[in-house]
Amino acid sequence: MHKREAAMRDHFHETATRRGFVLAPAQRAAVERLSRLAGELARPVWTFPRPPRDLYVWGPVGRGKSWLVDTFYEGLPTGRKRRLHFHDFFRRLHDGVVRPGARQDKQSAVDSALDELLGDSRVLVFDEFHAHDAGDAMLIARLFRTLLDRRITLVTTSNHPPAGLMPNPLYHHLFEPTIALIEERMDVLDVSGPVDFRRLAAAPGAGGTGFAAGLCLPVGDAGPLALGLPVPTPAEAASVPAHLRELPARAVRGDLVWFGFDVLCETPTAVPDYLALAEVFGTLVLDGLPPLAEATADGRQRFANLVDVACDRDLRLILIGSDPLTGYADDPAATRDADRTASRLALLGRADRPGGA
């Protein structure tokens, strides 16, 4: 056993002890595999005819995926390692391709942007890898080929198994070659389990901060007013800078921005817009929220992305309207999008409603 492997294993257990929790069986198996990878990475490159196998850590929200890869990353020696959130990576990749002065040839522009993002890294850690946008399928495929060519070891987390990526049946076939490459080149670690550690960490909406302090409120003035959130007046409307555009907000009140669901989810916004908002504001209010079954497919997708970003960036999210997780009937696509966000929305507090919340 390489001493770096033993040191990484100790690092995991010491970190868990400091945080006061016991590793679940699936997490312990992942710790063993990540520790072995740390030992492999510590060996001279010339001793390996091939780079160490990549790791794909997946499971539902709250199973400790991000904690596992973050702790692994922290335990690696400094230098030649890079950790990027998947949303951030693609925002920066898109920016690099379209920025003024970028190469006119699309393939060369993508390669140049990847050069800048990857640098001389030997290890790349991705959090929240997913593929829902058919437009990103080509870029993801290019990324994986580039990592293979450069012998860069990839460690990534995802809420979905590889076969569950790009779930839209209209586009799934476009991503099947990349899924096959993932399953061939990566060890897939399933950390699914019955315990949602995020729910154990704090009671939803009770004394938390950031995303944990968010709320779901019913339609009407009573809920928002009780929080000191009067409904915006027309005079409060403002244009808010997002990503390469401005978005019409209903109100901006210091660290708080207020949007309607129709503006933020039913117009062609994207993850980079939500990331830009999260960098400026600490609270985002979204009103006019319908049941997901009544939203368009694109609206459901954007709402799921918004919840992802808010949770990942610890942005307080206040939702006003219907419960988005009810009433999606027999629509499989709506059910899939609801399932994707259910665990995260369960962390938000809920105001009392007639008949229960």
Side-chain angles (χ1 to χ4, degrees):
M1 180 191 302
H2 194 281
K3 62 180 181 181
R4 185 69 56 71
E5 178 179 343
M8 180 63 77
R9 185 179 294 108
D10 291 343
H11 173 63
F12 270 110
H13 289 285
E14 290 167 2
T15 303
T17 299
R18 284 198 306 271
R19 297 190 56 175
F21 66 86
V22 177
L23 296 172
Q27 291 177 317
R28 289 197 294 270
V31 164
E32 290 302 310
R33 183 63 186 89
L34 287 162
S35 298
R36 188 165 80 248
L37 175 59
E40 293 169 349
L41 290 168
R43 298 172 183 171
V45 175
W46 58 267
T47 65
F48 279 90
R50 296 179 181 177
R53 284 184 61 82
D54 304 322
L55 298 184
Y56 185 103
V57 184
W58 79 275
V61 171
R63 270 58 182 182
K65 304 182 299 295
S66 295
W67 179 84
L68 285 166
V69 299
D70 285 349
T71 304
F72 168 75
Y73 185 81
E74 292 164 1
L76 293 175
T78 57
R80 300 199 66 184
K81 64 178 182 177
R82 184 157 298 188
R83 183 197 183 284
L84 293 167
H85 191 281
F86 195 67
H87 289 319
D88 279 338
F89 179 85
F90 263 82
R91 178 177 63 164
R92 293 165 64 179
L93 180 58
H94 281 292
D95 288 350
V97 171
V98 303
R99 71 177 174 221
R103 299 180 183 181
Q104 295 300 310
D105 175 69
K106 183 66 175 293
Q107 181 170 340
S108 297
V110 172
D111 289 340
S112 178
L114 284 172
D115 287 342
E116 184 175 331
L117 285 168
L118 298 175
D120 65 348
S121 301
R122 188 182 175 198
V123 181
L124 175 64
V125 174
F126 261 154
D127 199 15
E128 297 290 346
F129 176 78
H130 68 272
H132 295 283
D133 186 344
D136 286 340
M138 178 275 292
L139 291 177
I140 295 173
R142 177 75 62 78
L143 168 65
F144 272 87
R145 289 196 299 270
T146 299
L147 295 177
L148 289 174
D149 291 343
R150 300 188 185 187
R151 298 171 60 94
I152 297 173
T153 298
L154 174 65
V155 178
T156 188
T157 70
S158 180
N159 293 339
H160 313 278
L165 298 169
M166 193 68 72
N168 189 322
L170 294 176
Y171 306 114
H172 184 77
H173 68 283
L174 299 175
F175 206 67
E176 286 178 343
T178 303
I179 291 173
L181 184 61
I182 290 172
E183 293 176 335
E184 175 189 343
R185 278 289 295 130
M186 306 187 77
D187 287 343
V188 179
L189 306 180
D190 181 356
V191 296
S192 300
V195 180
D196 185 338
F197 291 97
R198 302 178 85 155
R199 296 194 192 187
L200 295 179
T209 60
F211 189 79
L215 290 168
C216 294
L217 301 174
V219 178
D221 295 343
L225 281 174
L227 295 176
L229 293 173
V231 174
T233 65
E236 290 184 278
S239 292
V240 176
H243 179 67
L244 305 179
R245 73 175 85 192
E246 292 193 346
L247 297 174
R250 294 195 64 193
V252 175
R253 299 169 182 167
D255 194 39
L256 178 148
V257 64
W258 189 315
F259 284 100
F261 181 88
D262 56 341
V263 168
L264 210 53
C265 299
E266 292 290 10
T267 60
T269 56
V271 166
D273 295 312
Y274 313 146
L275 287 167
L277 294 173
E279 289 172 357
V280 176
F281 299 100
T283 297
L284 189 149
V285 181
L286 189 72
D287 68 8
L289 185 67
L292 284 178
E294 297 179 11
T296 65
D298 288 340
R300 291 193 299 265
Q301 179 68 65
R302 294 185 188 108
F303 177 70
N305 288 339
L306 174 63
V307 173
D308 282 349
V309 169
C311 188
D312 297 332
R313 290 306 182 91
D314 206 24
L315 172 69
R316 187 186 187 206
L317 187 63
I318 297 176
L319 304 175
I320 303 174
S322 302
D323 186 337
L325 302 180
T326 60
Y328 43 87
D330 298 322
D331 185 337
T335 301
R336 182 175 59 245
D337 290 329
D339 289 344
R340 177 182 165 195
T341 58
S343 294
R344 291 187 166 183
L345 290 181
L347 298 171
L348 303 182
R350 291 176 179 268
D352 290 336
R353 303 181 185 184

